[in-house]
Amino acid sequence: AWIAAIVVGVFILALIFGGGSSREAYRSARGAISQRVELGQQRIDAAAQIATAQVELALKQAGELPAHEEKADAIVEGIEAISDALKDVAAARGDLALARLDATIALFNRTQEVVQEASDLATDPVVKAKLECIDENLNAARDQVTQAVLSSR
């Protein structure tokens, strides 16, 4: 009987001291998750910052389009909407930032469609070249955003 009591006592002590390692494992896992979330947030922030710079350049280029040019106002409005959406991304954190970043892709697509339509309608080669530069900047920004969304999932 006393042998059974010793075995049970050793078993209880093993559970008590063995529980510390599971607590450490929990803390390590929690730290790893926090690091991963922080890395994802840094990736989102960097993508938003780079995309914002490219969108601001496209907005400057769109401002140089002749006022009478067809769809010029729609292009500027689309780019401003993208810029505002990227500012919302920068203000958000976690899943909300990722969702907002993902939503900007649709804005990029719509605005680029308008730029393409304007390019098809333009007759002046200088205007066509400006529209092409705008499209390239928007495309580069959209690719940056897409990569950030895909790598954060």
Side-chain angles (χ1 to χ4, degrees):
W2 61 273
I3 293 178
I6 292 175
V7 169
V8 169
V10 169
F11 180 72
I12 291 172
L13 288 173
L15 284 176
I16 291 171
F17 291 113
S21 65
S22 65
R23 270 181 277 184
E24 286 300 317
Y26 169 75
R27 288 183 185 138
S28 295
R30 200 168 97 190
I33 291 170
S34 295
Q35 282 180 330
R36 183 167 179 217
V37 167
E38 183 62 31
L39 264 173
Q41 187 63 48
Q42 289 172 351
R43 207 173 297 132
I44 290 169
D45 290 344
Q49 185 178 16
I50 291 168
T52 298
Q54 291 169 320
V55 167
E56 293 299 324
L57 181 58
L59 185 58
K60 181 179 179 254
Q61 292 168 333
E64 296 171 357
L65 289 173
H68 67 277
E69 191 61 40
E70 199 164 332
K71 304 214 181 251
D73 288 339
I75 292 169
V76 170
E77 288 172 10
I79 295 172
E80 286 174 342
I82 293 169
S83 181
D84 291 342
L86 289 171
K87 288 174 187 167
D88 289 344
V89 169
R93 292 284 169 250
D95 290 339
L96 179 60
L98 185 59
R100 287 182 178 173
L101 194 63
D102 194 17
T104 62
I105 294 171
L107 291 173
F108 276 107
N109 290 338
R110 275 184 291 208
T111 303
Q112 286 185 279
E113 286 174 10
V114 174
V115 171
Q116 187 61 49
E117 289 170 10
S119 181
D120 292 344
L121 295 172
T123 55
D124 185 352
V126 173
V127 171
K128 276 190 175 277
K130 285 182 181 183
L131 289 167
E132 186 175 308
C133 286
I134 291 168
D135 190 53
E136 287 172 3
N137 282 316
L138 292 176
N139 197 41
R142 187 191 65 206
D143 288 348
Q144 189 72 31
V145 166
T146 303
Q147 288 302 317
V149 168
L150 291 175
S151 66
S152 294
R153 290 189 181 213

